[in-house]
Amino acid sequence: MTENTIKTTKINNISDECEDIRTITFHLETSSKPKPGQFVMIWVPGIDEIPMSISNYDENGIWEITVKKIGDCTQALFKLKKGDYIGVRGPLGNYFIIPKEKDTRIILVGGGIGLAPLRFLSSELKKKEKEFQFIIGAKKVNELVFVDDPSNYLENHYYCTDDGSFGEKGYTSDIFEKIINEIPLKEYKNLVVYTCGPEIMMLKILNICIKNGIQLFASLERIMRCGCGLCGLCVLDPLGLLVCSDGPIFNRDTLIKIKDFGKKKRDFSGKKIKLGS
């Protein structure tokens, strides 16, 4: 169930996570509680409305979104202070399904701001007493998100940076391959992988999962004007699926059929451009 009405709420707290990334906390009562992987449309009055992943939520109605300063609306969000108001529409979209089977092995793979929905997922896994391994990557140490969270310094958490400034030097896909190579082949059928981050990274994870017959669920990001299937900017070719209403979570078999995955997206005019442009 999703909610598609804007509600205004006051910012309770703002925490800097790393360079140009901060977490905004607010209280909001909705008829449907958000689930890991869902998103909200955040409205900054007089500026714009943009999609944001939910990075945490508790039963008292406290929500968190984690914002990276990359455009006009996010820059406006960075200028807001505790006590200022924002508009929130959601929760929207589908969500990560948490396995019920006890023998399921779970791996989370996140990069950069893609750690936001995986943080929410990891919190829910802990509540359900599910064991998991978490691979966390960034280009360099000052781009690592949630690095000060004490719960992240566990034996099942692995850090890496492209330049080796924190954790292992290399990519999340390298660590992922190391981990699965230590798992007996017969256990691959019980392995579930959740990923979010740069699509080039997720494409590498997808290819490894295809090769080894491993279940995968990825959270995709696209430009959205509406968040409810009207504007069409988040359409995925050639399937015609919309990230806002059919996603943002897609499984391995669907990702295989999306020709643009890891390669192209649409800009605000609807024109296809290469990822990273």
Side-chain angles (χ1 to χ4, degrees):
M1 183 177 179
T2 60
E3 297 200 14
N4 205 28
T5 302
I6 293 178
K7 297 182 178 180
T8 55
T9 185
K10 186 186 296 184
I11 295 174
N12 288 350
N13 192 46
I14 298 173
S15 302
D16 288 327
E17 301 291 350
C18 63
E19 185 178 318
D20 291 336
I21 296 179
R22 61 178 43 171
T23 294
I24 296 174
T25 304
F26 55 87
H27 178 268
L28 187 69
E29 295 292 343
T30 55
S31 59
S32 56
K33 296 178 181 179
K35 296 181 180 180
Q38 289 190 298
F39 68 97
V40 287
M41 296 295 291
I42 297 294
W43 174 55
V44 181
I47 305 296
D48 203 353
E49 186 186 33
I50 57 172
M52 301 292 305
S53 293
I54 303 165
S55 55
N56 221 341
Y57 171 81
D58 69 22
E59 297 304 315
N60 296 316
I62 302 298
W63 302 52
E64 292 183 4
I65 55 171
T66 301
V67 183
K68 182 174 182 178
K69 185 164 60 173
I70 54 175
D72 292 343
C73 195
T74 52
Q75 287 182 27
L77 276 170
F78 265 63
K79 293 178 182 178
L80 298 180
K81 300 176 181 179
K82 182 178 178 180
D84 288 339
Y85 284 86
I86 55 174
V88 182
R89 181 158 56 95
L92 301 168
N94 63 1
Y95 50 88
F96 291 118
I97 302 295
I98 297 176
K100 295 180 180 179
E101 296 79 9
K102 292 183 179 180
D103 61 346
T104 301
R105 186 160 183 164
I106 300 171
I107 300 177
L108 279 56
V109 186
I113 194 64
L115 268 296
L118 295 181
R119 182 196 187 203
F120 188 5
L121 175 60
S122 69
S123 296
E124 291 300 303
L125 290 172
K126 290 171 187 175
K127 289 177 185 177
K128 296 180 181 295
E129 298 182 342
K130 295 278 189 179
E131 293 185 2
F132 61 94
Q133 293 168 290
F134 203 160
I135 304 170
I136 299 169
K139 290 183 179 179
K140 50 188 177 179
V141 63
N142 61 350
E143 294 182 6
L144 277 169
V145 186
F146 312 128
V147 73
D148 293 327
D149 186 341
S151 67
N152 287 347
Y153 289 93
L154 303 173
E155 290 183 2
N156 60 352
H157 284 60
Y158 308 84
Y159 284 91
C160 64
T161 47
D162 294 2
D163 63 0
S165 54
F166 192 92
E168 289 190 35
K169 182 177 181 179
Y171 306 111
T172 54
S173 54
D174 298 330
I175 296 179
F176 178 58
E177 280 196 295
K178 288 180 184 178
I179 291 175
I180 66 169
N181 285 339
E182 296 173 357
I183 301 173
L185 290 175
K186 64 181 181 180
E187 294 184 16
Y188 280 11
K189 66 179 183 298
N190 298 323
L191 179 59
V192 180
V193 179
Y194 302 92
T195 186
C196 186
E199 275 195 25
I200 294 174
M201 178 205 82
M202 292 197 291
L203 181 59
K204 291 180 180 178
I205 301 300
L206 171 63
N207 289 333
I208 295 170
C209 289
I210 293 171
K211 178 181 176 181
N212 294 282
I214 296 171
Q215 294 186 66
L216 173 70
F217 296 91
S219 175
L220 273 59
E221 178 186 349
R222 287 292 185 277
I223 289 173
M224 298 177 195
R225 282 294 192 189
C226 64
C228 57
L230 295 176
C231 72
L233 291 177
C234 65
V235 67
L236 300 170
D237 292 330
L239 302 182
L241 297 174
L242 298 169
V243 173
C244 66
S245 55
D246 298 305
I249 313 303
F250 297 93
N251 63 27
R252 181 197 65 191
D253 294 340
T254 300
L255 293 168
I256 292 171
K257 300 173 185 177
I258 300 172
K259 293 183 179 180
D260 290 342
F261 180 63
K263 300 172 184 176
K264 296 180 180 180
K265 64 179 181 180
R266 295 180 187 273
D267 62 16
F268 280 103
S269 71
K271 179 183 177 181
K272 280 191 182 182
I273 57 175
K274 289 184 179 180
L275 285 172
S277 299

